[in-house]
Amino acid sequence: MKGSISKTSVIGLLIFQLASCGPIYSTDYRFTPPAGKSAGPAGKSAGRCLDRCQADSDHCRREQADQKEFCEEQNQQLMDSCNRKILADKNRPANWTECGRQLSCDYPESVCDQDYRGCYRECGGTVTEEQVCVMNCDQVGKK
């Protein structure tokens, strides 16, 4: 057929695009605890200071999980309400796509992670970042 694209062409194009993508990196973090007995603000012991960092991080993650759960409940309520309105209106066709608009419930954990790394440093610890190739690593160094 004229003007149509074969499955082989589409698959070949996809393989070419994936192969031409450069490497994808992720950041890994290595934590080295403080060397001395006291560190951090006001001379708190390093152990107590790091415990506070962990407790703050745990609290941050719980709050984010609670916010996500609340958001998902709100989305369900919006969806249920929309569906009821569509079903109740007998004079119009059921357009279920109207009910597809939802709130974004994604809360990046990176905020909690950034706070934890900052707190760890404040306590006298060292945080070392390393870029690690996680995909298309065979493309490293190629142009």
Side-chain angles (χ1 to χ4, degrees), residues 29-92:
Y29 297 94
R30 190 174 66 244
F31 295 84
T32 306
K37 290 187 177 184
S38 67
K44 289 183 183 176
S45 75
R48 285 191 10 226
C49 188
L50 294 176
D51 288 346
R52 182 185 51 83
C53 294
Q54 187 62 55
D56 290 350
S57 178
D58 292 345
H59 177 74
C60 179
R61 290 181 192 285
R62 278 192 305 275
E63 280 201 354
Q64 282 190 335
D66 290 347
Q67 289 174 355
K68 183 174 183 170
E69 184 179 340
F70 177 76
C71 179
E72 289 170 349
E73 288 171 1
Q74 292 286 99
N75 276 338
Q76 188 61 51
Q77 289 174 5
L78 289 170
M79 183 69 80
D80 293 346
S81 173
C82 184
N83 288 336
R84 280 192 299 275
K85 286 178 187 174
I86 288 175
L87 290 173
D89 189 351
K90 307 273 188 230
N91 297 325
R92 67 176 213 183

Side-chain angles (χ1 to χ4, degrees), residues 8-22 136 139:
T8 307
S9 297
V10 172
I11 292 172
L13 180 61
L14 287 173
I15 290 172
F16 173 76
Q17 285 179 333
L18 288 174
S20 66
C21 290
N136 296 330
Q139 300 292 320

Side-chain angles (χ1 to χ4, degrees), residues 122-134:
E122 286 176 12
C123 291
T126 304
V127 181
T128 308
E129 299 179 14
E130 181 181 5
Q131 297 295 312
V132 178
C133 183
V134 294

